[in-house]
Each structure stands twice: as structure tokens, then as C-alpha cells.
Amino acid sequence: MMDDDKLQTAINRGVQADAKLKDPFLNECFDAIKAALVDGWAESSLHMSSEREHLWQLYQATAMLKALLVKYVNDGKMARVDLERLLNLKR
């Protein structure tokens, strides 16, 4: 189990990540980036394999960023439970 400060940092990070995931503008940006990458991939010719691979990597990086935000949200929720447990043990 982490100490109080690390748990509070994880909780704060989770709250910030959750707010970002719920931000309509940020989600619109994610969607626009993904759509542009898919369009670029779809419009590229089959012999442009390095360009297509690069577009795929960018698409995956975008998905990884969103997955990292989800991870921070979940870590923050777990940290909140751990902090409550820790505080109850100290009583």
C-alpha cells in the first residue's frame, strides 16, 4: 500500500483524467484525429506501406493516450479505497 501523499496524488490524477475524458471538446479532438488518420489510411495506396504504417502507429498512439487516461481514473478510484482503508486503520 502507498503512503498518504502518493495515494492523494493518484486520486487527484484520476479526478483530472476523468474530467478530461468527459470533456466534449477533448473527445471531439480525439474523434477528429482518429477520423483524419483513418481517412489518410483509406486514401493511401497499397504500395505506400511505410506511410500507412505510420498512420496506424499514430492511430494506436491516440488510442493509447485515451487508455492511459482511463487507467489513471481507475488507479484513482483504487487509491481512494486504499486511502480510506489506511485512514480507518489509523483510527
Side-chain angles (χ1 to χ4, degrees):
M1 192 178 297
M2 295 187 249
D3 65 26
D4 295 12
D5 290 338
K6 288 182 181 178
L7 290 170
Q8 191 58 54
T9 298
I11 292 167
N12 293 342
R13 186 176 285 160
V15 168
Q16 290 176 23
D18 190 51
K20 287 174 181 29
L21 286 169
K22 291 177 179 172
D23 183 323
F25 178 71
L26 186 61
N27 280 297
E28 184 180 324
C29 290
F30 274 121
D31 292 343
I33 290 169
K34 284 183 165 185
L37 293 169
V38 168
D39 289 347
W41 179 84
E43 293 170 4
S44 64
S45 65
L46 290 175
H47 72 279
M48 300 173 71
S49 60
S50 64
E51 291 85 353
R52 293 168 63 90
E53 180 65 25
H54 183 67
L55 291 169
W56 176 248
Q57 290 170 349
L58 290 172
Y59 184 91
Q60 290 299 323
T62 303
M64 288 172 63
L65 176 58
K66 206 162 195 179
L68 182 60
L69 291 171
V70 170
K71 179 188 178 309
Y72 285 153
V73 170
N74 292 331
D75 288 350
K77 290 176 182 178
M78 291 175 60
R80 186 176 304 279
V81 170
D82 286 347
L83 183 59
E84 288 172 3
R85 241 185 243 145
L86 186 62
L87 293 175
N88 284 335
L89 289 175
K90 290 182 178 179
R91 289 182 189 166

